[in-house]
Amino acid sequence: MDVELRQLRCLVAIVDEGTFTDAAQVLGVSQAAVSRTLASLERALGTRLLRRTSREVTPTGTGLRVVAHARRVLADVDELVRQATSGTAQLRIGYAWAALGRHTLPFQRGWADRHPETELTLVRVNSATAGLAEGACDLAVVRRPPGDRRFDSAIVGLERRLCALADDDPLARRRSVRLADIGGRTLLVDRRTGTTTTDLWPPDARPATEETHDVDDWLTVIATGRCVGVTAESTANQYPRPGVVYRPVRDAEPVAVRIAWWRDDPHPATAAVMELLTTLYRAG
């Protein structure tokens, strides 16, 4: 059974326009071609889709369901074509938890000023490649090297590592903390996308861990005081939360912020993105 896009477009046009004659005008074909195309679709599906009288054309019950699906299919195909042919007209940048922290808005505005011909969209995808492997974005902001050889990456900046605590936690009264202060606590981590592992601590002083997969859940649990978190500075900038405070971890290495891309198909704007972000991070 073969169903073609032209058949679905014909069906939708008939339903939208109300007559075969008007549908033919919209599609730029003859009325006879519209009749043949609809008949071929009904044969392929093995069911009637439209009731035809001398005055009107209305969908059958099955026809209503097919038209609803056809609209979704045609919309998806139109979007596929738009993205595939947009070239440098569109740039989607994925991120997992936090985009670029305090640099997010300056980056968006700076990009619009410098490259008005390329529409920028930030996309949050909580995966190891921030949506790159899933096809949800063209470039990705990641904070650890991609483990997949299909991708390349480059560092555009560094961010401090912060500890997230409940605001009534005794450590919250300090201006900064050390890794040893957290060693006896339960650390909430996202192993898929997070920057924190127990490797930050010596083998004999590592904290217990619990796992989460969402920044909102992470913050909600930390606010209860049951767990603490260690994260890149961008999280604090992007997700202030009542009941949660962030304190610098003064003896932890900073987090490298990377831009990742497909090794064999880099977006034409990759170099321009890295140049602007490097400038923003160097300026502090």
Side-chain angles (χ1 to χ4, degrees):
M1 180 178 64
D2 293 322
V3 174
E4 301 176 11
L5 291 177
R6 66 180 183 87
Q7 295 171 324
L8 299 182
R9 293 194 190 279
C10 179
L11 173 64
V12 171
I14 296 170
V15 172
D16 287 347
E17 301 304 320
T19 70
F20 281 56
T21 301
D22 291 340
Q25 291 178 350
V26 168
L27 295 171
V29 298
S30 68
Q31 183 175 332
V34 169
S35 297
R36 287 195 301 269
T37 302
L38 177 68
S40 68
L41 177 59
E42 290 181 325
R43 283 196 302 273
L45 297 179
T47 185
R48 270 185 83 189
L49 301 175
L50 299 178
R51 296 187 186 91
R52 285 152 275 188
T53 69
S54 58
R55 290 198 233 170
E56 62 179 358
V57 178
T58 59
T60 65
T62 300
L64 286 172
R65 294 192 294 273
V66 173
V67 167
H69 282 288
R71 292 190 195 280
R72 290 195 291 270
V73 169
L74 294 172
D76 286 344
V77 170
D78 289 344
E79 176 63 15
L80 181 153
V81 172
R82 187 184 71 83
Q83 290 193 15
T85 59
S86 62
T88 59
Q90 183 183 44
L91 172 62
R92 301 166 302 159
I93 298 183
Y95 66 96
W97 276 36
L100 301 159
R102 69 178 183 276
H103 301 303
T104 302
L105 186 56
F107 173 65
Q108 291 172 301
R109 290 180 173 173
W111 185 265
D113 289 341
R114 297 186 186 192
H115 305 281
E117 74 287 353
T118 303
E119 178 187 356
L120 172 67
T121 304
L122 298 182
V123 184
R124 182 182 165 197
V125 182
N126 196 39
S127 74
T129 63
L132 202 56
E134 295 80 3
C137 60
D138 307 299
L139 301 174
V141 179
V142 295
R143 289 176 170 81
R144 60 188 187 191
D148 192 321
R149 292 180 59 84
R150 295 176 298 170
F151 307 118
D152 268 337
S153 69
I155 296 173
V156 293
L158 299 175
E159 294 176 344
R160 293 185 302 168
R161 212 178 285 264
L162 305 183
C163 180
L165 306 148
D167 61 4
D168 59 353
D169 190 293
L171 291 177
R173 295 195 291 268
R174 302 185 186 181
R175 297 181 64 179
S176 63
V177 299
R178 294 182 179 275
L179 288 171
D181 299 325
I182 310 167
R185 309 292 290 275
T186 299
L187 188 69
L188 195 58
V189 299
D190 183 348
R191 290 187 175 89
R192 291 187 307 183
T193 65
T195 58
T196 301
T197 71
T198 56
D199 291 340
L200 289 171
W201 287 264
D204 59 347
R206 290 174 176 169
T209 62
E210 291 187 16
E211 191 163 0
T212 187
H213 299 298
D214 182 82
V215 64
D216 289 315
D217 293 341
W218 183 79
L219 289 165
T220 298
V221 173
I222 288 171
T224 68
R226 182 164 60 84
C227 297
V228 300
V230 174
T231 188
E233 187 175 2
S234 56
T235 305
N237 296 120
Q238 197 154 331
Y239 296 102
R241 175 68 65 91
V244 175
V245 297
Y246 296 91
R247 297 291 180 261
V249 184
R250 61 180 181 269
D251 58 344
E253 291 292 322
V255 177
V257 182
R258 297 172 178 266
I259 292 295
W261 61 90
W262 285 89
R263 184 187 300 271
D264 62 354
D265 189 23
H267 191 280
T270 300
V273 169
M274 290 193 295
E275 179 184 2
L276 178 54
L277 287 178
T278 301
T279 299
L280 290 171
Y281 273 97
R282 283 178 179 169

